[in-house]
């Protein structure tokens, strides 16, 4: 695996790739876990060349969020990527990606799709994601790019962006990797202490409980959502939202929706956990 840290070296490395080769891109912020490695495996199975990126993108962190403390473990990540047969790793510095600092002249804004779910509690987050992902798409010019379904809103917004801005890139969603107790794997799970970790799976359990009730015919989404919210709060979570929405449009689900998903986000200690599961397969 080649490791490059500048845009010029990335371009040089990409130039040696045959024009007809399928390039698969896996953008990450590092601190890799099995979920990321599933993205690499999916890319590996569908692409001639797998490019991973590691960049902790300041634009997608709010002022009180964990940008400074976000784990940066490049050596450990490089080893995992090498073991999973990644061809090229791009790990740029902040200055390389944003020579003008945290306020670049150009931002990609995702508009109304960011005003709810994680977007309402993390203002600016998705625009920061869209800006860095657009830059990575332009730099790597992959045919396919891989994102985890755990961040379903991010995945949906990136699909919308690719459509609106005519990026000739297929966006591939990869199912959420989970611990044995059901907790969705996340780089931020490391912020949980032992007691918090022992109950973190209750978020997934709450989503599953709603799913089961809906499948049993209970369509009072508002009541199901508020019951789950209260149950999580009583267990020591500070829930952000629990809701049933349409997977593709992210709009509130109705009795006629056919691609419903349950979404949840909650703080537990210093970790913010998010998860979602399909109701309609
Ligand atoms: O999902 C992530 O890890 C990040 O949001 C991404 C897509 C790498 C952009 O920084």
């Amino acid at each position: 695996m080649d490791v490059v840290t500048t845009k010029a070296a990335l371009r040089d490395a990409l130039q040696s790739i045959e024009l007809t080769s399928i390039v698969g891109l896996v953008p990450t912020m590092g601190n890799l876990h099995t979920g990321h490695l599933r993205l690499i495996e999916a890319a590996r199975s569908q692409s001639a060349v797998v490019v991973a990126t590691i960049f902790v993108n300041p634009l997608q962190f709010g002022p009180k969020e964990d940008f400074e403390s976000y784990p940066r473990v490049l050596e450990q990540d490089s080893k995992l990527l090498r073991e999973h047969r990644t061809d090229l790793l791009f790990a740029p510095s902040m200055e390389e990606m944003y020579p003008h600092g945290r306020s670049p002249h150009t931002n990609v804004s995702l508009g109304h799709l960011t005003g709810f779910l994680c977007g309402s509690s993390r203002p600016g987050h998705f625009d920061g994601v869209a800006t860095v992902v657009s830059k990575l798409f332009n730099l790597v010019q992959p045919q396919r790019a891989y994102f985890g379904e755990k961040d379903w809103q991010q995945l949906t917004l990136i699909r919308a962006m690719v459509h609106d801005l005519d990026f000739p890139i297929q966006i591939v969603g990869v199912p959420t990797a989970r611990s044995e107790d059901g907790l969705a794997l996340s780089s931020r799970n490391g912020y949980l202490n032992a007691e918090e970790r022992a109950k973190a799976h209750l978020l997934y359990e709450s989503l599953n409980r709603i799913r089961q009730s809906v499948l049993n015919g209970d369509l009072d989404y508002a009541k199901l959502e508020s019951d789950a919210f209260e149950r999580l709060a009583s267990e020591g979570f500070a829930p952000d939202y629990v809701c049933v929405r349409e997977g593709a449009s992210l709009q509130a689900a109705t009795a006629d929706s056919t691609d419903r998903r349950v979404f949840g986000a909650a703080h537990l200690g210093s970790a913010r956990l998010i998860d979602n599961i399909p109701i309609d397969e």
Side-chain angles (χ1 to χ4, degrees):
M1 180 179 80
D2 288 333
V3 182
V4 292
T5 57
T6 64
K7 294 186 256 189
L10 174 66
R11 285 200 191 94
D12 281 353
L14 290 168
Q15 244 162 24
S16 61
I17 294 170
E18 264 185 55
L19 279 180
T20 51
S21 300
I22 297 287
V23 175
L25 170 66
V26 181
T28 81
M29 298 204 300
N31 194 21
L32 304 180
H33 52 67
T34 303
H36 295 112
L37 298 175
R38 298 251 172 96
L39 304 183
I40 297 284
E41 282 160 14
R44 185 69 285 165
S45 69
Q46 298 178 353
S47 329
V49 177
V50 176
V51 180
T53 66
I54 295 182
F55 178 62
V56 184
N57 171 37
L59 266 51
Q60 68 188 80
F61 288 78
K64 293 195 180 120
E65 293 185 353
D66 54 342
F67 173 68
E68 300 300 340
S69 57
Y70 199 88
R72 287 149 171 94
V73 286
L74 188 58
E75 217 167 292
Q76 177 186 308
D77 288 343
S78 307
K79 185 168 178 283
L80 287 170
L81 290 172
R82 209 167 272 122
E83 284 166 8
H84 284 75
R85 298 190 297 127
T86 304
D87 296 297
L88 179 61
L89 168 61
F90 177 49
S93 65
M94 160 80 183
E95 294 69 34
E96 184 68 12
M97 285 300 271
Y98 299 119
H100 303 289
R102 276 173 178 244
S103 307
H105 299 310
T106 307
N107 277 289
V108 179
S109 170
L110 287 160
H112 69 278
L113 283 173
T114 65
F116 47 80
L117 298 177
C118 288
S120 47
S121 53
R122 304 188 70 191
H125 166 69
F126 287 118
D127 292 351
V129 171
T131 302
V132 79
V133 169
S134 300
K135 283 168 72 71
L136 295 171
F137 284 176
N138 284 327
L139 286 163
V140 178
Q141 305 199 1
Q143 279 70 42
R144 298 197 181 109
Y146 297 79
F147 296 88
E149 289 186 352
K150 178 175 75 66
D151 300 292
W152 186 272
Q153 190 175 11
Q154 169 173 282
L155 174 63
T156 307
L157 296 176
I158 288 171
R159 285 203 166 112
M161 178 184 84
V162 160
H163 177 263
D164 289 353
L165 298 184
D166 301 307
F167 282 110
I169 300 173
Q170 185 194 342
I171 301 303
V172 183
V174 177
T176 304
R178 299 183 180 280
S179 301
E180 256 175 43
D181 64 358
L183 175 66
L185 298 188
S186 161
S187 300
R188 290 188 168 102
N189 291 351
Y191 297 159
L192 297 166
N193 66 28
E195 194 189 333
E196 291 156 358
R197 175 61 192 85
K199 58 181 168 187
H201 66 98
L202 293 175
L203 177 61
Y204 177 59
E205 200 179 291
S206 300
L207 305 190
N208 263 312
R209 202 186 281 230
I210 293 183
R211 174 179 189 273
Q212 208 43 60
S213 302
V214 172
L215 291 176
N216 290 341
D218 184 351
L219 297 187
D220 189 347
Y221 302 131
K223 173 88 173 60
L224 293 170
E225 291 165 6
S226 64
D227 286 353
F229 200 97
E230 278 165 30
R231 207 174 314 114
L232 285 168
S234 72
E235 291 288 350
F237 289 73
D240 200 347
Y241 59 79
V242 179
C243 56
V244 181
R245 292 203 167 224
E246 293 181 350
S249 70
L250 297 181
Q251 297 308 302
T254 67
D256 299 327
S257 304
T258 53
D259 70 332
R260 294 165 297 183
R261 296 187 84 87
V262 199
F263 296 84
H267 293 266
L268 184 60
S270 54
R272 183 173 183 278
L273 307 175
I274 65 169
D275 203 349
N276 71 90
I277 56 170
I279 294 177
D280 307 299
E281 294 298 345

